[in-house]
Amino acid sequence: MFSFITGKLFNPLVIEDFYRHLSLYTGSESPSVLGKLVLFIWFCLCSFVLRPTIFGIQTWTLPLSLFPHVNFLRPKLLDSLRCLIQALWLLSIKQRRPNRDSVQNGSRQGTIRNFVWIGFRRLLGLPMSSVHSAIDWIERLAEKKTEKTSSNCKSARLGMSKILLTVLIGLLSLLCLSVPFGWQAQVIFVLLLWSMAMLIRRLPGRVPNLLLIILSVTVSCRYIWWRYTSTLNWDDSVDLSLGIILLMAESYSWLVLILGYFQNVWPLKRKPIPLPKDVSQWPTIDLMIPTYNENLDVIKTTVLAALGVDWPKHKLNIYILDDGKRDEFKAYAKEVGVHYIRRPTNEYAKAGNLNYALKHSQGEYIAIFDCDHVPTRAFFQITMGGFLKDDKLALVQTPHHFFSPDPFERNLANFRDVPSEGNLFYGLVQDGNDMWDATFFCGSCAVLRRSALEEIGGVAVETVTEDAHTFLKLHRLGYRSAYLRQPVSAGLATESLSAHVGQRIRWARGMAQIFRLDNPLMGKGLKWPQRLCYLNAMLHFLSGIPRIIFLVAPLAFLVFQSHIIYAPALVIVLYVFPHMVHASLTNSRIQGKYRHSFWGEVYETVLAWYIARPTTVALFAPEKGKFNVTEKGGLIEQAHFDWNISKPYLVLIGMNVIGVSFGVYRLSWGPADEMATTALNLLWTFYNLFILGGAIAVAAEAKQVRRNHRIEVDIPAVVRMHTGHLYPITMVDFSLGGLRVKAADNSIFDGQSEVEVTLRRSSEDITFKCRVMYREESSVGLQLNAMTTKQEIDYVQCTFARADNWLIWKQQYEVDQPMNSFKSVLLVGIKGYERLLENSPRAVNKVYHAIRTFISVLFGYVSSFRPRFVQLKDY
């Protein structure tokens, strides 16, 4: 027997056959001696013991197919362990098959979801066809009422949706406030409402939004009632004091949540009203561009776009309101043919500038644009029709759309991927305000009726948010406002985080001043929905102190063992998590196109420390504080970490790290009966650390040296060569100084120093001479030659003033998926700590990179033992 085996193994023909297979298997790579031995043993098994093929695969190539992470040519010490783990994986887990990955990853998931969906439907006994029919009927009725009375919005606000919402919320609120549950009953209650929410969120239309709001309000009211009645420790003064502080912060958040639901329950989505065909009936307009310390280059685009606006020239007057008293602005105004107003003093900042201009102009309507906002050609065509239909309409406000990234978008590199901070307000909140006739003036991109302004003495000067305060006064007099959610203008966002924070500080201080001096809950003239909408707008800017409380609250237990929520951990989970989950689910459904889940936490955390003090001061001393101008058009010469503005975040991070240390100690050596409470507070602390990491990530300023921002587009154009040949091209981006194009074959630009590019404006073709600056494989860069004023106006009209540019951008955001958003926020938090360590002192940086390299190597080594899926053929 032994001689038979050795004869087989050492048969020259067998060895020759082995080397032939080995050369096919390895190619030019030379295996080690150990690799040859291993493969020779496997070859003998394949030749004398196994079948020629297994699973449709030649047995000789099985190691390559079934063990893709093991290099059999050069075996390593622990490859046997890797093979053992992979073999167990192959035996226990079904592997992928060709063209069936979608079945493995998608259809199976869909099957599970469908199974759960069918199970819920049968469990609850809901005939879904009837539910759909009822929802469609309610929605048709509500839409019919809204369309019928959209001119004054009165009957719309008394529609079926409002009555249904009011009655159901009233009944459920009474139930949730009056019936105490044990923890077992609370579990059933939570599961029932969660199941209903999972069913409702799948339904189309707006009525499911109302039902989700009802469920969320029910859970949240029950939570806040439980917090007030069952979670304060009256026997310990420290626990009681800290518990009340946290409860006040939660009460604030609860109130803002409820007001937000009311505000956005049924956005109006107003449509433009056409102008009369008789141009003689169109009113006169004064277009005002206030400026103070901005560079002349910043306002040029706005002025040029205004000069090309589609409105009768004798009925439109353009004014540069120069509070900076600069002669070059005066000369430029004369050069392009617009009016120039310089006032002798600077009191009341922008409000005073506008009021002075009102006395030196006479148009029936006032259009106001910040010096960096560019109106599109059709701006007045879209906004003015409503004024001629409604004598009490005093404002038409349009969105503030930005073609440059704000500090969050630029520093986190998510421009056009994640909705910006202001997208929620201009995409949803103002539309919700419009439903209740509570749209307020936002300082730019708006038209106001002069007679209404004069009735209140001009723009309000009592607070630093003159815009919102102005229209609060007008609403008190019975004037109406309108919001058109169409981006018919665009402008520059703040460049640096410090400028962004400074702007928000002014807004927060001004809203607190209005709350103190002209409280919307008091005084005459406002309807109760208007009072609630204004109240929510003002409360939003008081979020600084509550946000800081939430960031440090778990430290009370971890560090000082203070029970600020005096309840068992299980009961806390049964009340807190449903409140958070339903609020997140509902807001994701309502706000999903305008703000992604958890990103609001990052935005508020960045601002919390900086708005806490000015809002508090304004509540007690509203006369303090001055108007600070937001800088626009600035440059960031070098990427850097803003240590100055990140100091509060670093302090909060340090406090939470200390809390984690105490929490780990308590988990290891603390009382056994407090383990669950400790774990819960640690979970809260880790979440706070990730959110603070996101704030740190924003403080790492990215380089921004382009004075003329490029706007990405996809606009067809035509290029003319010096030979006279014409070629179709596509403009892929543009700026005030040049543009970038691509052709089917970019080699057509070879040897061309100057070309002519023809762009279309409405039905007119306009040609611009350009110099070829560079040619890449994917695009060609062109610089505009010197242009006359008329050519500059034409160019801006063909580029910046095209409304379809901004409409396309508004459609790019994906609908929110809460778990994906949660994951992205966590990754941003991790990125923040990486940036912090990379910008730390050199010694810390070296230690960080050494640890990072070690962890990377260790992770790579450990992951080498991870089993892999393999692709199997059908057999």
Side-chain angles (χ1 to χ4, degrees), residues 551 554-555 651-660 685 688-689 692:
L551 290 172
L555 307 183
V651 172
L652 290 168
I653 287 172
M655 294 171 64
N656 278 272
V657 169
I658 292 172
V660 170
T685 305
N688 286 342
L689 282 171
L692 287 166

Side-chain angles (χ1 to χ4, degrees), residues 4-121:
F4 173 78
I5 295 175
T6 54
K8 283 284 187 181
L9 291 179
F10 296 105
N11 190 315
L13 295 177
V14 172
I15 295 175
E16 181 181 346
D17 195 26
F18 165 69
Y19 274 102
R20 183 172 58 82
H21 280 81
L22 185 64
S23 63
L24 294 174
Y25 181 88
T26 62
S28 60
E29 186 176 357
S30 176
S32 65
V33 175
L34 181 59
K36 289 181 181 180
L37 177 61
V38 170
L39 291 173
F40 181 69
I41 295 173
W42 174 249
F43 177 78
C44 293
L45 287 173
C46 294
S47 301
F48 309 132
V49 179
L50 302 177
R51 294 165 51 191
T53 59
I54 297 177
F55 304 139
I57 304 173
Q58 289 188 355
T59 51
W60 170 246
T61 62
L62 274 177
L64 182 64
S65 303
L66 302 182
F67 303 91
H69 55 309
V70 177
N71 184 0
F72 288 96
L73 300 179
R74 299 182 179 278
K76 297 179 182 178
L77 180 62
L78 295 179
D79 275 349
S80 57
L81 180 58
R82 293 184 180 90
C83 290
L84 176 61
I85 294 173
Q86 179 73 0
L88 294 174
W89 170 264
L90 294 171
L91 291 172
S92 57
I93 302 297
K94 189 174 182 179
Q95 303 301 301
R96 297 190 181 105
R97 295 192 177 280
N99 301 321
R100 295 188 183 183
D101 289 288
S102 59
V103 175
Q104 177 82 10
N105 300 325
S107 301
R108 182 173 296 180
Q109 185 181 16
T111 303
I112 294 173
R113 287 182 177 177
N114 291 336
F115 174 78
V116 174
W117 166 252
I118 294 170
F120 280 151
R121 186 172 64 184

Side-chain angles (χ1 to χ4, degrees), residues 299-418:
I299 78 160
K300 280 185 176 180
T301 308
T302 302
V303 174
L304 293 173
L307 285 167
V309 166
D310 189 5
W311 199 256
K313 300 304 178 186
H314 66 284
K315 290 178 177 286
L316 176 65
N317 290 292
I318 301 169
Y319 294 85
I320 296 178
L321 313 183
D322 181 21
D323 245 12
K325 304 176 178 63
R326 292 156 293 183
D327 291 337
E328 64 268 26
F329 277 64
K330 184 177 181 179
Y332 180 72
K334 184 178 180 180
E335 177 188 342
V336 297
V338 301
H339 301 281
Y340 175 84
I341 295 179
R342 175 191 294 185
R343 61 178 176 148
T345 58
N346 293 88
E347 70 277 1
Y348 302 124
K350 180 180 176 180
N353 196 2
L354 290 168
N355 286 336
Y356 184 83
L358 285 173
K359 297 175 183 178
H360 295 79
S361 59
Q362 61 279 335
E364 298 171 76
Y365 293 89
I366 309 298
I368 300 175
F369 287 89
D370 283 346
C371 62
D372 60 300
H373 276 122
V374 182
T376 63
R377 186 180 180 186
F379 183 86
F380 292 128
Q381 301 289 324
I382 291 174
T383 56
M384 293 304 299
F387 287 110
L388 303 183
K389 293 287 185 180
D390 184 0
D391 292 338
K392 296 296 287 183
L393 182 65
L395 167 73
V396 173
Q397 178 69 57
T398 65
H400 290 188
H401 178 70
F402 300 104
F403 55 73
S404 66
D406 65 25
F408 292 91
E409 295 171 309
R410 188 183 63 256
N411 296 342
L412 300 180
N414 58 16
F415 187 42
R416 303 301 171 200
D417 294 329
V418 177

Side-chain angles (χ1 to χ4, degrees), residues 135-416:
I135 287 176
D136 289 342
W137 177 78
I138 294 172
E139 205 155 58
R140 283 197 303 271
L141 182 61
E143 290 289 353
K144 187 181 296 183
K145 280 188 169 287
T146 302
E147 291 174 5
K148 184 178 179 181
T149 61
S150 60
S151 61
N152 56 25
C153 307
K154 289 182 179 179
S155 298
R157 294 195 297 273
L158 299 175
M160 177 62 71
S161 60
K162 175 188 168 185
I163 297 173
L164 175 65
L165 182 66
T166 304
V167 172
L168 290 180
I169 285 183
L171 293 175
L172 291 173
S173 297
L174 288 175
L175 178 66
C176 77
L177 290 176
S178 59
V179 180
F181 289 162
W183 72 266
Q184 298 92 340
Q186 179 69 12
V187 170
I188 297 174
F189 179 76
V190 166
L191 290 176
L192 179 63
L193 264 64
W194 179 80
S195 302
M196 294 173 64
M198 290 297 102
L199 284 171
I200 293 169
R201 70 189 292 263
R202 295 173 62 102
L203 302 176
R206 291 208 228 178
V207 172
N209 294 355
L210 302 179
L211 301 178
L212 285 175
I213 288 173
I214 292 171
L215 294 179
S216 179
V217 169
T218 301
V219 173
S220 296
C221 285
R222 182 164 186 80
Y223 168 72
I224 206 70
W225 176 262
W226 170 76
R227 285 286 284 118
Y228 270 95
T229 59
S230 306
T231 63
L232 295 176
N233 185 7
W234 295 91
D235 298 325
D236 188 304
S237 58
V238 175
D239 286 6
L240 180 62
S241 300
L242 296 177
I244 289 176
I245 291 173
L246 177 61
L247 183 55
M248 291 301 99
E250 290 184 279
S251 300
Y252 162 85
S253 298
W254 175 82
L255 179 60
V256 169
L257 177 71
I258 300 300
L259 289 174
Y261 286 157
F262 169 79
Q263 194 173 33
N264 302 318
V265 65
W266 202 277
L268 186 59
K269 298 182 179 179
R270 187 187 296 266
K271 303 297 182 184
I273 296 175
L275 286 162
K277 294 182 178 180
D278 185 0
V279 177
S280 64
Q281 299 180 28
W282 295 9
T284 57
I285 302 172
D286 292 333
L287 192 156
M288 297 182 177
I289 307 170
T291 177
Y292 175 62
N293 62 351
E294 298 83 2
N295 190 285
L296 180 60
D297 291 336
V298 174
I299 78 160
K300 280 185 176 180
T301 308
T302 302
V303 174
L304 293 173
L307 285 167
V309 166
D310 189 5
W311 199 256
K313 300 304 178 186
H314 66 284
K315 290 178 177 286
L316 176 65
N317 290 292
I318 301 169
Y319 294 85
I320 296 178
L321 313 183
D322 181 21
D323 245 12
K325 304 176 178 63
R326 292 156 293 183
D327 291 337
E328 64 268 26
F329 277 64
K330 184 177 181 179
Y332 180 72
K334 184 178 180 180
E335 177 188 342
V336 297
V338 301
H339 301 281
Y340 175 84
I341 295 179
R342 175 191 294 185
R343 61 178 176 148
T345 58
N346 293 88
E347 70 277 1
Y348 302 124
K350 180 180 176 180
N353 196 2
L354 290 168
N355 286 336
Y356 184 83
L358 285 173
K359 297 175 183 178
H360 295 79
S361 59
Q362 61 279 335
E364 298 171 76
Y365 293 89
I366 309 298
I368 300 175
F369 287 89
D370 283 346
C371 62
D372 60 300
H373 276 122
V374 182
T376 63
R377 186 180 180 186
F379 183 86
F380 292 128
Q381 301 289 324
I382 291 174
T383 56
M384 293 304 299
F387 287 110
L388 303 183
K389 293 287 185 180
D390 184 0
D391 292 338
K392 296 296 287 183
L393 182 65
L395 167 73
V396 173
Q397 178 69 57
T398 65
H400 290 188
H401 178 70
F402 300 104
F403 55 73
S404 66
D406 65 25
F408 292 91
E409 295 171 309
R410 188 183 63 256
N411 296 342
L412 300 180
N414 58 16
F415 187 42
R416 303 301 171 200

Side-chain angles (χ1 to χ4, degrees), residues 459-674:
V459 179
V461 297
E462 298 87 346
T463 64
V464 296
T465 46
E466 75 292 330
D467 41 17
H469 196 189
T470 296
F471 222 83
L472 175 60
K473 290 183 175 184
L474 289 172
H475 273 138
R476 287 192 185 279
L477 295 180
Y479 284 101
R480 286 188 285 273
S481 57
Y483 180 69
L484 292 174
R485 190 172 60 88
Q486 298 190 30
V488 287
S489 60
L492 289 172
T494 50
E495 271 74 23
S496 66
L497 181 60
S498 58
H500 184 88
V501 169
Q503 182 188 63
R504 277 9 183 217
I505 288 174
R506 175 168 61 84
W507 294 357
R509 177 188 287 119
M511 283 299 193
Q513 287 176 326
I514 298 174
F515 187 76
R516 180 70 169 79
L517 297 173
D518 196 4
N519 195 310
L521 296 179
M522 304 175 185
K524 298 180 180 179
L526 295 180
K527 307 177 185 70
W528 67 267
Q530 292 175 320
R531 296 180 190 273
L532 294 181
C533 289
Y534 272 107
L535 175 64
N536 191 38
M538 294 168 190
L539 287 179
H540 169 75
F541 287 100
L542 300 179
S543 63
I545 292 177
R547 174 58 53 191
I548 294 173
I549 291 173
F550 293 139
L551 290 172
V552 300
L555 307 183
F557 176 80
L558 295 176
V559 178
F560 302 107
Q561 206 170 1
S562 177
H563 296 267
I564 55 176
I565 302 180
Y566 194 63
L570 175 62
V571 179
I572 293 175
V573 169
L574 289 176
Y575 279 91
V576 173
F577 278 19
H579 160 65
M580 295 172 60
V581 168
H582 277 273
S584 178
L585 187 69
T586 305
N587 280 321
S588 177
R589 166 79 185 224
I590 297 173
Q591 304 174 1
K593 295 180 181 178
Y594 315 105
R595 174 168 293 179
H596 290 174
S597 301
F598 304 102
W599 281 99
E601 306 271 325
V602 177
Y603 300 146
E604 289 185 8
T605 299
V606 168
L607 299 175
W609 181 270
Y610 293 100
I611 66 174
R613 182 176 176 273
T615 52
T616 304
V617 170
L619 289 175
F620 292 97
E623 72 282 355
K624 292 188 176 181
K626 63 180 181 178
F627 189 100
N628 58 301
V629 178
T630 303
E631 295 182 7
K632 296 288 185 70
L635 303 178
I636 300 175
E637 299 290 348
Q638 294 293 334
H640 65 280
F641 189 84
D642 195 334
W643 288 99
N644 186 51
I645 205 166
S646 61
K647 286 177 182 177
Y649 318 142
L650 296 175
V651 172
L652 290 168
I653 287 172
M655 294 171 64
N656 278 272
V657 169
I658 292 172
V660 170
S661 303
F662 275 86
V664 172
Y665 172 81
R666 292 189 185 282
L667 280 179
S668 303
W669 295 281
D673 58 346
E674 292 184 348

Side-chain angles (χ1 to χ4, degrees), residues 588 592-593 596 813-817:
S588 177
K593 295 180 181 178
H596 290 174
Y813 297 119
E814 295 182 357
V815 177
D816 176 42
Q817 297 181 16

